[in-house]
Amino acid sequence: QVQLVESGGGLVQAGGSLRLSCAASGRTLMSYIMAWFRQAPGKEREFVAAIRWFGVTTYYADSVKGRFAISRDNAENTVFLRMDGLKPEDTAVYYCAAVQGTFVRVASGYEYWGQGTQVTVSS
């Protein structure tokens, strides 16, 4: 089992920044993909960014490329999502997720989920 706990959400004005954190615990994460998804009211959960627990490969949705950055701290078992240039359309609940093995962009492909953290961007 893998436990994931997100933090760092909040209310920010358009153009502002936030950094989300996802603290992971449980089994070793060496072969895992760690990802961020988001879900706005009335919409499906969508992929935002992902990173391999070991290695340098990152993945981004086109809508956040150049504005968001995913990173990790292996020693602290924590994954981060730095969000700059926030827009009102970034408003959603952001979820941390984990899956062992191959990267996928669909939520159904992930085994473990956090409880989510709300991000609200005002115009």
Side-chain angles (χ1 to χ4, degrees):
Q1 289 287 336
V2 175
Q3 293 78 43
L4 303 173
V5 179
E6 303 98 331
S7 61
L11 173 64
V12 64
Q13 289 188 332
S17 299
L18 282 174
R19 189 180 78 158
L20 306 182
S21 300
C22 172
S25 61
R27 63 177 58 181
T28 180
L29 297 169
M30 184 179 299
S31 60
Y32 276 73
I33 302 289
M34 305 298 296
W36 288 96
F37 283 76
R38 66 186 181 187
Q39 189 167 19
K43 294 189 176 182
E44 291 188 353
R45 195 167 295 190
E46 66 172 356
F47 169 76
V48 175
I51 189 169
R52 294 189 177 276
W53 197 257
F54 281 91
V56 298
T57 306
T58 56
Y59 311 86
Y60 293 96
D62 288 343
S63 60
V64 305
K65 206 172 291 184
R67 299 189 298 124
F68 291 10
I70 190 169
S71 62
R72 66 178 190 272
D73 182 331
N74 289 5
E76 295 294 327
N77 273 7
T78 302
V79 176
F80 303 99
L81 184 67
R82 172 73 182 189
M83 305 185 294
D84 295 318
L86 282 162
K87 306 174 182 180
E89 51 264 44
D90 294 317
T91 295
V93 177
Y94 283 69
Y95 296 91
C96 181
V99 65
Q100 193 171 14
T102 304
F103 165 69
V104 293
R105 288 179 181 264
V106 294
S108 59
Y110 285 78
E111 300 174 73
Y112 302 104
W113 291 88
Q115 81 289 349
T117 185
Q118 176 71 46
V119 172
T120 303
V121 184
S122 62
S123 57

